[in-house]
Amino acid sequence: KDVQKEREPHVYLSKEEVEEKIQSYNSSVTDKLKMTLNANGIYTGFIKVQMELCRPITVESSQSQGKCAHSSNNETAFCLPDGCINTLHISSNNTVREVIEALLKKFFVADNPAKFALYKRCHKEDQVYTCKLSDREHPLYLRLVAGPRTEMLSFVLREHETGEVMWEAFSIPELQNFLRILDKEENEQLQILKKRYAAYRDKLEEALGGVWTPG
């Protein structure tokens, strides 16, 4: 179930509560990605973000791999593999917007960060909820409160919904590259369909031949 915005009230913890939460968190960690509390009350740790991008992203050509379409300015429209997960080391002060910017920088993405949104996916009452986080949210705080289990809380990077896309943020070369990739994918799907129906036709003709063959 997708929820447009996270509407739960924020209940911030005292320094003592944060210290207790971090100790409990670290005792439950199984992948060595522990949190550290600094003397100033700021804590650092890791979050994992799954990339669920439907549209191509623009990266430097030297950094791209996989399905892509090149432009003349050394940039590439590139489709990230499905289920790609990235781990970020952040602090409790880092906001959603800063996390998005850090993710794009890590992937050498040249697109405007305003094209993307960070979601949290959590389990409640045997249902999975996906909520878009506001720019002011602090992902590491959410990770701490939920604990280290990603099945209880995970983060997902998506594009804004189609109706929310800031198309003016895309350059003409970007849009042209998107069209090239769409044409390529359309041709690939067309070839797959042709092969499938050709196989069906061969089997039908073989079956009909068997029915009508004398003796």
Side-chain angles (χ1 to χ4, degrees), residues 177-193:
N177 281 336
F178 296 166
L179 288 174
R180 292 190 191 101
I181 287 181
L182 289 175
D183 288 340
K184 182 179 179 181
E185 291 181 345
E186 182 181 12
N187 288 332
E188 289 175 353
Q189 291 301 316
L190 183 60
Q191 294 305 316
I192 291 172
L193 284 173

Side-chain angles (χ1 to χ4, degrees), residues 50-107:
Q50 183 167 347
M51 316 292 277
E52 291 186 355
L53 303 180
C54 299
R55 295 186 292 273
I57 56 175
T58 304
V59 300
E60 298 176 8
S61 296
S62 59
Q63 305 296 336
S64 63
Q65 296 178 358
K67 187 182 295 183
C68 57
H70 293 276
S71 66
S72 58
N73 57 354
N74 201 34
E75 291 183 346
T76 301
F78 170 62
C79 291
L80 278 177
D82 292 336
C84 180
I85 296 178
N86 208 298
T87 301
L88 285 179
H89 185 253
I90 62 174
S91 82
S92 54
N93 280 350
N94 289 133
T95 62
V96 163
R97 181 53 46 189
E98 290 170 334
V99 166
I100 292 174
E101 291 172 354
L103 275 171
L104 300 182
K105 183 177 180 180
K106 195 169 184 178
F107 276 97

Side-chain angles (χ1 to χ4, degrees), residues 28-183:
S28 302
V29 165
T30 58
D31 55 10
K32 299 183 180 180
L33 300 180
K34 296 185 177 182
M35 293 196 188
T36 303
L37 179 61
N38 300 315
N40 58 5
I42 297 173
Y43 51 97
T44 59
F46 299 85
I47 62 169
K48 294 180 179 180
V49 182
Q50 183 167 347
M51 316 292 277
E52 291 186 355
L53 303 180
C54 299
R55 295 186 292 273
I57 56 175
T58 304
V59 300
E60 298 176 8
S61 296
S62 59
Q63 305 296 336
S64 63
Q65 296 178 358
K67 187 182 295 183
C68 57
H70 293 276
S71 66
S72 58
N73 57 354
N74 201 34
E75 291 183 346
T76 301
F78 170 62
C79 291
L80 278 177
D82 292 336
C84 180
I85 296 178
N86 208 298
T87 301
L88 285 179
H89 185 253
I90 62 174
S91 82
S92 54
N93 280 350
N94 289 133
T95 62
V96 163
R97 181 53 46 189
E98 290 170 334
V99 166
I100 292 174
E101 291 172 354
L103 275 171
L104 300 182
K105 183 177 180 180
K106 195 169 184 178
F107 276 97
F108 301 95
V109 178
D111 293 289
N112 189 331
K115 300 175 187 176
F116 305 93
L118 190 69
Y119 290 74
K120 78 170 187 178
R121 183 177 290 151
C122 54
H123 291 252
K124 291 182 182 178
E125 300 175 356
D126 297 325
Q127 285 190 313
V128 179
Y129 291 83
T130 303
C131 311
K132 184 167 70 173
L133 299 172
S134 67
D135 286 350
R136 67 178 181 274
E137 295 277 5
H138 297 88
L140 194 61
Y141 172 83
L142 299 175
R143 178 78 279 161
L144 175 64
V145 172
R149 295 174 57 190
T150 54
E151 63 267 26
M152 299 304 297
L153 171 73
S154 59
F155 296 103
V156 180
L157 185 72
R158 294 178 176 174
E159 301 96 341
H160 283 295
E161 298 299 327
T162 303
E164 302 174 347
V165 176
M166 300 173 59
W167 292 110
E168 63 275 13
F170 290 86
S171 66
I172 296 299
E174 283 179 314
L175 295 173
Q176 290 173 337
N177 281 336
F178 296 166
L179 288 174
R180 292 190 191 101
I181 287 181
L182 289 175
D183 288 340

Side-chain angles (χ1 to χ4, degrees), residues 14-30:
S14 66
K15 186 175 180 180
E16 292 75 20
E17 289 172 323
V18 167
E19 185 173 5
E20 183 180 344
K21 281 279 189 183
I22 289 177
Q23 289 176 354
S24 175
Y25 183 98
N26 288 343
S27 66
S28 302
V29 165
T30 58

